[in-house]
Amino acid sequence: MARRPHNAPPTRDTGPRVNSRIRSDEIRLIGADGENVGVVSPARALEMAEEVGLDLVEISPNAQPPVCKIMDFGKYKYEQQKREAEARRKQKTIEVKEVKFRPNTDTHDYDVKMRNVFKFLEAGDKVKVTLRFRGREMAHQNLGRDLLERIAGDVEGVGRIENMPKMEGRQMIMIIGPGAK
């Protein structure tokens, strides 16, 4: 076996304890067929596991006494990895989609952008509505606030306002989360 380099991080043993690594005076044993054998010593349980050619795996280490099961550890690890991969695949990440407006956005453009906002919210994503002011438009921030309040009114029932409109430099930002109030 190759030696570990001196600067390698220490190996962490993750997962359940197996066979001779089980450090307890007595354990509650579950047989290979799922039958409850009872409370035995780890040495006796290890003998029983070797008789049937399987491993002794600690299922719940925090129980009193710890619960161990006679099973094929390789198969157990494989099943666990499959379950974790399935859980990762089903997990939905919430993305933040951005829709940019201007203070004088026309009605048709407004409708098109709002269609995108609704599409994002229905897909379960958050929407960051950015209203950008250029030049002299900064003098008419009330127009921008009115537009954002109109957007907030239109998304009611589909999304909920997470951050009310606030100025950041030359733009006003509002965040809308999926789901009604």
Side-chain angles (χ1 to χ4, degrees), residues 12-115:
R12 294 271 311 269
D13 194 23
T14 57
R17 289 193 276 259
V18 184
N19 296 336
S20 59
R21 293 198 169 172
I22 297 170
R23 302 182 301 269
S24 185
D25 298 335
E26 53 182 26
I27 58 170
R28 183 171 304 280
L29 182 64
I30 298 171
D33 302 328
E35 78 280 1
N36 190 353
V37 177
V39 179
V40 295
S41 72
R44 173 72 185 117
L46 198 54
E47 285 173 22
M48 291 169 71
E50 286 171 357
E51 282 172 19
V52 288
L54 295 172
D55 300 303
L56 182 65
V57 182
E58 194 172 42
I59 301 293
S60 66
N62 299 332
Q64 233 21 48
V67 179
C68 297
K69 186 174 182 181
I70 296 175
M71 64 170 79
D72 183 352
F73 184 61
K75 187 176 173 186
Y76 173 73
K77 268 178 42 177
Y78 172 71
E79 295 286 335
Q80 205 170 21
Q81 284 173 338
K82 265 179 49 177
R83 277 195 301 272
E84 287 171 2
E86 186 71 27
R88 273 196 301 274
R89 206 168 37 244
K90 286 182 179 174
Q91 205 173 48
K92 169 127 178 53
T93 55
I94 293 180
E95 292 182 35
V96 177
K97 305 284 190 175
E98 185 173 19
V99 179
K100 294 182 179 180
F101 286 87
R102 296 286 310 280
N104 50 3
T105 300
D106 200 40
T107 315
H108 180 261
D109 291 341
Y110 176 83
D111 293 340
V112 170
K113 289 178 184 219
M114 284 309 291
R115 232 176 290 145

Side-chain angles (χ1 to χ4, degrees), residues 100-106 110 130-134 136-148 150 170-172:
K100 294 182 179 180
F101 286 87
R102 296 286 310 280
N104 50 3
T105 300
D106 200 40
Y110 176 83
T130 305
L131 185 69
R132 177 116 191 215
F133 295 100
R134 283 201 196 134
R136 292 191 183 145
E137 292 173 345
M138 285 296 284
H140 304 288
Q141 290 181 16
N142 58 333
L143 292 175
R145 191 165 296 283
D146 292 345
L147 180 68
L148 287 179
R150 179 178 164 199
R170 286 192 155 274
Q171 49 193 20
M172 202 176 275

